[in-house]
Amino acid sequence: FKKNPDELDMHLVYDVSHNIAKIEEHLVDGEMKQLLVHRKGSTRAFPPHHPLIPVDYQFTGQPVLIGGTMGTCSYVLTGTKKGMEETFGSTCHGAGRARSRANARNKLEYQEVLNNLKAKGISIRVASPKLVMEEAPESYKDVTQVVDTCHAAGISKKC
């Protein structure tokens, strides 16, 4: 666009970390304990009224952004009380890989992936062709099934 984010009037809406470790306090066997919570493949999802989430989200719970693939939808979830009790306030941060990166590079065809995306009205620009196969929609689990599972388990809630 040949403009910087300020010139395009782009502003950060929400920022969340995943695949991190944080020191937090959680209830364990009826007692509050200080824990190092390592979230690999997950992200924090605290429930409504939790003191560590911003005031703007106190009534809804912590927003959880679940990015789909280049060819699928994405979701916004919120944290739940049950998730706090059962997972230390953690939930998925995406669908998760269905194929390893190596398997995707070996089994998927670059042009076929591009053609499938184009048929959906999606065009991409990428630095390396191998990234196209690694990040292809078929390299990941079905994000809707993963989100529905988290919602049904009560560890996060679809908005």
Side-chain angles (χ1 to χ4, degrees):
F1 298 118
K2 297 184 180 176
K3 292 183 180 184
N4 68 40
D6 290 332
E7 293 170 327
L8 292 169
D9 200 28
M10 295 173 66
H11 305 281
L12 180 65
V13 175
Y14 190 74
D15 191 14
V16 65
S17 299
H18 65 276
N19 294 342
I20 61 167
K22 292 188 108 169
I23 295 175
E24 300 171 353
E25 287 191 359
H26 291 279
L27 193 61
V28 178
D29 297 328
E31 187 180 331
M32 286 303 283
K33 294 192 176 190
Q34 192 174 61
L35 307 172
L36 178 64
V37 180
H38 181 223
R39 293 184 175 94
K40 175 68 178 137
S42 64
T43 191
R44 199 162 81 171
F46 286 177
H49 312 295
H50 192 282
L52 292 180
I53 59 175
V55 69
D56 289 348
Y57 306 114
Q58 282 293 312
F59 292 114
T60 59
Q62 184 170 25
V64 179
L65 308 178
I66 309 297
T69 70
M70 332 187 243
T72 64
C73 60
S74 297
Y75 288 87
V76 178
L77 309 178
T78 55
T80 65
K81 184 176 184 238
K82 185 175 182 184
M84 200 68 185
E85 294 164 355
E86 294 191 9
T87 68
F88 298 132
S90 302
T91 195
C92 67
H93 75 78
R97 298 195 73 80
R99 299 174 178 266
S100 69
R101 294 181 189 280
N103 179 276
R105 285 191 305 268
N106 292 330
K107 301 290 183 187
L108 300 176
E109 294 292 329
Y110 172 74
Q111 195 58 52
E112 186 177 339
V113 172
L114 289 180
N115 292 344
N116 290 341
L117 290 170
K118 187 176 181 178
K120 294 179 177 182
I122 301 167
S123 62
I124 63 170
R125 193 172 103 188
V126 64
S128 167
K130 73 178 184 177
L131 292 176
V132 172
M133 285 81 75
E134 290 177 6
E135 298 302 320
E138 52 269 45
S139 294
Y140 287 87
K141 297 173 191 165
D142 182 317
V143 69
T144 298
Q145 289 179 353
V146 171
V147 166
D148 287 347
T149 299
C150 292
H151 180 82
I155 64 171
S156 48
K157 184 175 95 175
K158 291 194 283 187
C159 296

